[in-house]
Amino acid sequence: MSSRSARQQGALASWNDERGFGFISVDGPSSANGAGSTGSGNRTGESVFAHISAFPRRDARPAPGERVSFTVETTNDGKTRARNIRYLSASGRPIRARKSRPGTMSYVVLATFAIAISIVTAIGALPWLFAALYLVMSVITYASYATDKKAAQTRQWRVTESALLGLGLFGGWPGAIVAQQRLRHKTQKPMFRQAFWGTVVLNILVFAILTTALREPVIELFRLIVTATAP
């Protein structure tokens, strides 16, 4: 794998946010301030592959039309891709991207729940098997998110969103939060995010019922409903 040291400039011609990659249209020598001069190996208008991992972190995701500078790397199979991407202003000057801290509130919810389940398990209000179930489901859910992200990048069969939501509903949502933030996956689709947090609220509601004074009235109500509907 080789890398070309000369920085080039261009505009993001296309971007697939779900799959985390796009293509940069390379400038000619006159508009790249010499960065695209002879020896760089790129012609005006040539498209260079760009993966999300090559971009600096910031609050907003990459968008078509944005000006960037980059170096070009040649992989072992002879393909080229952009590396060390920097956002540029309209004048061509680099924009210092803020290092964002995504998912702060998600981690607050996760930490609060972890403390709560540790306390109720320690005092005997909840069998330790419940805590173990959350842990196992979280590991399975994290692995499912990782599999889905890899499938999205390699154009393989995807894990369905309903399956990911179902895993979260049945106790895997802590692992889903970690996967979303660490893998930067499933964090940009509003519909999925809304559905996901709906499963989190529902799961926590059931958890609260099982560990508080609401447990007995709810169980009794459930018994009455079953009795009334039984043939």
Side-chain angles (χ1 to χ4, degrees):
M1 186 177 295
S2 62
S3 179
R4 305 167 193 166
S5 58
R7 292 195 69 81
Q8 302 181 59
Q9 294 184 10
L12 194 58
S14 62
W15 182 256
N16 187 323
D17 199 56
E18 175 65 23
R19 300 173 68 180
F21 69 82
F23 291 89
I24 300 171
S25 179
V26 183
D27 289 345
S30 61
S31 58
N33 296 325
S37 58
T38 303
S40 66
N42 292 101
R43 298 180 298 275
T44 303
E46 180 182 351
S47 293
V48 179
F49 178 83
H51 189 265
I52 186 63
S53 61
F55 287 82
R57 284 200 171 190
R58 65 173 187 178
D59 294 334
R61 300 280 280 186
E66 289 192 284
R67 301 281 304 160
V68 295
S69 71
F70 56 95
T71 58
V72 176
E73 179 181 72
T74 303
T75 61
N76 293 331
D77 56 4
K79 297 180 180 179
T80 58
R81 63 184 180 185
R83 299 294 297 171
N84 302 317
I85 299 173
R86 299 174 188 168
Y87 294 103
L88 300 176
S89 64
S91 64
R93 295 182 178 180
I95 298 174
R96 181 172 295 180
R98 283 191 307 167
K99 289 187 177 181
S100 61
R101 295 181 180 179
T104 300
M105 186 53 64
S106 298
Y107 282 126
V108 169
V109 173
L110 180 59
T112 302
F113 181 76
I115 293 172
I117 197 171
S118 298
I119 293 174
V120 296
T121 301
I123 64 177
L126 192 71
W128 66 268
L129 284 175
F130 276 86
L133 176 62
Y134 273 105
L135 179 60
V136 171
M137 289 301 298
S138 291
V139 171
I140 294 174
T141 304
Y142 186 97
S144 298
Y145 271 78
T147 300
D148 184 57
K149 182 170 179 71
K150 184 176 182 180
Q153 294 172 342
T154 57
R155 300 184 182 183
Q156 301 296 321
W157 287 103
R158 302 284 303 276
V159 179
T160 64
E161 291 188 347
S162 59
L164 295 177
L165 293 173
L167 289 170
L169 178 62
F170 288 99
W173 65 264
I177 287 179
V178 176
Q180 288 170 12
Q181 303 308 322
R182 287 185 60 85
L183 304 177
R184 301 176 71 183
H185 189 51
K186 294 296 183 182
T187 60
Q188 299 297 318
K189 295 183 66 175
M191 293 294 292
F192 180 84
R193 296 287 295 168
Q194 292 172 9
F196 170 73
W197 282 107
T199 63
V200 174
V201 171
L202 184 57
N203 182 270
I204 292 178
L205 179 60
V206 173
F207 174 80
I209 290 173
L210 292 175
T211 56
T212 65
L214 292 173
R215 176 170 54 187
E216 293 304 325
V218 170
I219 292 177
E220 185 61 29
L221 176 61
F222 180 75
R223 288 174 180 170
L224 291 174
I225 293 175
V226 171
T227 302
T229 55

